[in-house]
Amino acid sequence: PPPFTGVWMGDSKLCAIGVHCRNHITSHGLALNCCTDLSWFEHIVPCGLEGKGVTSLSHELGQHVAVSHVLQPFLDSFQEVFDCALVSSEDPG
């Protein structure tokens, strides 16, 4: 929920989004909780947000959702939204 970044399901964060800047270099990334063991979050204040929870696709859908099931549809959507072509470091050339 605004003003918090990420992808939310009610008051629980499903995906964290971050940006880091150092020495004139910017890096960014995201963490999508697919089948994460959510019990670890009981020991911390996730993202420093008091009173907010964390969830996963598996928890929300009530079935196991492996990263391998999500990766290709995510990459396809990313390419469509950002009008780009992704290249794997494993691709020759």
Side-chain angles (χ1 to χ4, degrees):
F4 305 122
T5 60
V7 177
W8 293 80
M9 298 287 298
D11 277 341
S12 296
K13 189 178 256 191
L14 177 66
C15 178
I17 302 170
V19 176
H20 178 261
C21 301
R22 183 174 178 205
N23 297 329
H24 306 288
I25 297 173
T26 303
S27 56
H28 51 279
L30 60 88
L32 176 61
N33 295 326
C34 295
C35 51
T36 307
D37 179 357
L38 299 175
S39 67
W40 290 101
F41 292 103
E42 296 171 12
H43 306 284
I44 64 171
V45 179
C47 302
L49 300 174
E50 293 279 348
K52 302 296 180 191
V54 177
T55 193
S56 68
L57 290 173
S58 293
H59 178 78
E60 294 298 326
L61 296 173
Q63 64 184 36
H64 180 75
V65 179
V67 173
S68 60
H69 293 126
V70 175
L71 185 57
Q72 195 57 55
F74 172 82
L75 295 175
D76 292 344
S77 294
F78 186 96
Q79 290 180 104
E80 182 179 333
V81 168
F82 291 100
D83 191 25
C84 66
L86 300 177
V87 178
S88 171
S89 60
E90 298 172 6
D91 288 344

